[in-house]
Amino acid sequence: MTALPPLQSPLVGSPSEAADTSRLSTRENLTRAAQQFESLFIHQMLKSARAAKLDDGLFDSEALNQFQDMQDAKLSETMAVHTPMGIGKALADFLAKNRPDLKGGGAK
């Protein structure tokens, strides 16, 4: 049995020296991340609403639950892009506040 090499931290050297910060350099990437966060937030809301089970489902099954979860995930992605709640925009604006190079072009 061979020994595994030790895991290396994503931070190299000092704590302020990150391995890859190129993805943080554009407003487009920040906007995309904010949309993904909003999509995740909406998906969790839908999942919680379905967990409330206000009715006794006649056709409840694991397959139906899995399909509804996939449907909710796609719906939340679509909602985050086309009819956002504003959480993603607020997050992107907050994160860009101290970065003058990212201030322009707010999230949709």
Side-chain angles (χ1 to χ4, degrees), residues 2 22 28 30 51-52 62 66 81 86 88 96 99 103-104:
T2 61
S22 62
E28 181 182 325
L30 181 61
E62 188 60 36
Q66 185 176 12
V81 172
R99 299 271 313 263
K103 282 189 180 182

Side-chain angles (χ1 to χ4, degrees), residues 23-100:
R23 67 181 183 274
L24 305 174
S25 62
T26 66
R27 180 65 187 215
E28 181 182 325
N29 288 345
L30 181 61
T31 301
R32 191 175 320 121
Q35 282 180 344
Q36 289 173 351
F37 175 79
E38 185 159 350
S39 172
L40 216 133
F41 183 81
I42 293 169
H43 186 240
Q44 288 299 318
M45 283 182 15
L46 291 171
K47 189 183 252 185
S48 295
R50 290 216 189 265
K53 294 267 184 190
L54 299 177
D55 65 344
D56 293 330
L58 183 61
F59 300 107
D60 278 350
S61 69
E62 188 60 36
L64 180 62
N65 292 341
Q66 185 176 12
F67 176 76
Q68 284 179 333
D69 190 49
M70 290 188 308
Q71 183 182 23
D72 289 347
K74 188 63 179 172
L75 176 65
S76 63
E77 289 173 13
T78 304
M79 286 176 66
V81 172
H82 297 293
T83 55
M85 297 171 60
I87 295 169
K89 182 183 182 330
L91 180 65
D93 291 345
F94 176 77
L95 292 174
K97 191 181 293 186
N98 292 327
R99 299 271 313 263

